Amino acid sequence: MGSTWGNAIKISIFGESHGTGIGVVIDGFPSGVDYDEAFVLREMERRAPGRNKQSTQRREADLPAIQSGIYNGKTTGTPICALIQNLNQRSGDYAELAVQPRPGHADYTGMVRYKSCNDPRGGGHFSGRLTAPLVFAGAMCKLWLKTQGVLVGSHIQSIAQIQDMPFDDVDIQPGQLETLRNADYPVNNARALDAMLAAIEEAREEQDSVGGVIECAAIGLPAGIGSPMLDTVEGRLSSLLFGVPAVKGVEFGAGFAFAALRGSHANDTFYQDGGAVKTETNNNGGVNGGITNGMPLVFRVCIKPTPSISSVQQTLNIRTGRVEPLSIHGRHDPCIVTRAAPVVEAACAIALADLLREANGYA
């Protein structure tokens, strides 16, 4: 099971959507970091379900119970284990999925991979519910990154076809990231948000779903972090970002827009600003040759529409061998993008903490 990740800082995520609980073990985390419980709980709240009608109505408190690794308000340096209880399951909603796999979901591939021994209730270990312990691990890494002068933040770049104002990728300020973090919906343009929520509501009323894009940034990263070719910053981040359910694409800097540019427009010109080396543009998203260049790290993540929709779909009945109608029951998000920002930030923070610890000789 590929649920363990990292070199210097390793995370191992466990549990199923409708099991008794889910959680994470973080190994290699530095000692002496202040445990800011209010900060961690706010991060968990940002991702938690049931907060609005754009979200699944499954309500979970998502309170992490610390089992080890924190003592007298500080990290001890030993493995941190956090357990999150599942308190609001409705497993009967998923009984038919053992023979009728949902289109676009992992029901079928999970069944094949684990020879029908996997827990299918609520998606089991493939569920977005497993992003809750990922957010806890990311919150812990954010606490340490802050001591290193590194901040991570994000906003909803788009939902359906509606676009938010992108980051100014050469000048992202800490205050902007903090404002986004404290917003119910992290966007830079309130008018775009109104249109986004209308698109989600339209999809919900039509028993459908919509996807979107999260733009994430990290500021304060020193130059020289990462390695070329097979162990790049982009590769390390992407390997964790693609572990987030529903993520189907990642691009750094200008990303696929590079294909339409000439080199003279794509290149980022270096200059010196009071002793610091900077670039006039940031098309490469703060990374050259797989190594950070000191500019803001900027990337975008594409999140597909929620595959569990209320309208009737056609799917194969494994038992009968016939394609038959499928009505999906349960509580599902018409758009998971509104809850995805803290998850994407968490993956980024974990990857950067791992890279920084490794660069400092802790791997």
Side-chain angles (χ1 to χ4, degrees):
M1 175 74 71
S3 300
T4 298
W5 184 96
N7 292 339
I9 293 179
K10 296 181 176 66
I11 63 168
S12 182
I13 293 177
F14 59 87
E16 286 84 30
S17 178
H18 284 214
T20 57
I22 54 179
V24 63
V25 176
I26 312 170
D27 193 17
F29 197 87
S31 62
V33 178
D34 290 331
Y35 179 59
D36 185 342
E37 183 179 45
F39 174 86
V40 172
L41 293 181
R42 170 57 182 157
E43 292 295 280
M44 302 300 294
E45 181 186 26
R46 293 174 66 203
R47 191 222 69 93
R51 296 174 57 208
N52 51 58
K53 67 180 181 180
Q54 290 80 41
S55 166
T56 170
Q57 292 309 294
R58 175 178 179 176
R59 293 184 179 275
E60 297 281 4
D62 283 356
L63 298 176
I66 307 300
Q67 308 296 302
S68 64
I70 297 173
Y71 181 69
N72 285 339
K74 292 183 180 292
T75 57
T76 64
T78 58
I80 299 169
C81 178
L83 178 65
I84 302 167
Q85 288 185 298
N86 290 328
L87 301 171
N88 192 7
Q89 310 99 311
R90 285 194 343 207
S91 300
D93 291 336
Y94 298 88
E96 74 277 12
L97 301 183
V99 294
Q100 282 189 289
R102 289 169 289 181
H105 212 286
D107 297 330
Y108 172 70
T109 53
M111 182 195 329
V112 174
R113 173 67 174 83
Y114 297 107
K115 300 177 176 60
S116 298
C117 293
N118 58 299
D119 182 349
R121 300 170 302 168
H125 195 70
F126 297 93
S127 170
R129 178 94 187 107
L130 275 296
T131 60
L134 186 73
V135 168
F136 171 81
M140 294 302 301
C141 288
K142 283 183 178 181
L143 290 176
W144 179 71
L145 287 172
K146 188 175 181 179
T147 69
Q148 308 300 302
V150 178
L151 299 177
V152 176
S154 69
H155 71 109
I156 301 170
Q157 176 63 59
S158 69
I159 287 177
Q161 300 297 316
I162 299 104
Q163 299 286 326
D164 187 28
M165 184 185 305
F167 282 134
D168 178 352
D169 56 13
V170 297
D171 185 24
I172 302 172
Q173 295 298 315
Q176 180 184 12
L177 299 185
E178 185 63 17
T179 297
L180 289 167
R181 176 180 173 271
N182 288 313
D184 289 337
Y185 300 96
V187 295
N188 294 314
N189 183 348
R191 293 179 64 185
L193 174 61
D194 292 339
M196 290 175 182
L197 296 180
I200 297 172
E201 180 61 16
E202 181 181 2
R204 188 182 68 83
E205 290 178 348
E206 296 176 359
Q207 298 183 313
D208 215 328
S209 61
V210 290
V213 173
I214 298 292
E215 184 176 48
C216 187
I219 58 176
L221 276 172
I225 303 299
S227 300
M229 290 194 67
L230 304 182
D231 201 20
T232 64
V233 168
E234 299 104 321
R236 292 278 280 278
L237 265 72
S238 295
S239 70
L240 192 51
L241 289 164
F242 278 116
V244 176
V247 169
K248 300 301 286 186
V250 179
E251 67 173 8
F252 290 81
F256 279 92
F258 273 123
L261 298 178
R262 289 191 174 189
S264 56
H265 292 159
N267 292 338
D268 300 314
T269 302
F270 288 100
Y271 73 99
Q272 196 162 28
D273 179 16
V277 175
K278 297 183 179 180
T279 58
E280 292 183 357
T281 55
N282 194 16
N283 291 323
N284 288 278
V287 183
N288 295 123
I291 301 169
T292 57
N293 63 18
M295 294 295 288
L297 174 72
V298 180
F299 63 91
R300 284 166 294 280
V301 173
C302 172
I303 298 172
K304 72 177 184 178
T306 315
S308 294
I309 58 177
S310 298
S311 58
V312 176
Q313 302 177 79
Q314 298 293 312
T315 191
L316 177 68
N317 186 310
I318 301 295
R319 183 179 295 139
T320 66
R322 295 190 298 267
V323 174
E324 299 175 355
L326 171 67
S327 295
I328 298 174
H329 306 291
R331 299 157 292 178
H332 305 284
D333 301 70
C335 179
I336 59 176
V337 182
T338 57
R339 297 168 56 207
V343 181
V344 172
E345 291 172 26
C348 178
I350 296 164
L352 293 181
D354 186 43
L355 283 161
L356 281 167
R357 290 281 284 174
E358 190 175 48
N360 292 331
Y362 289 94

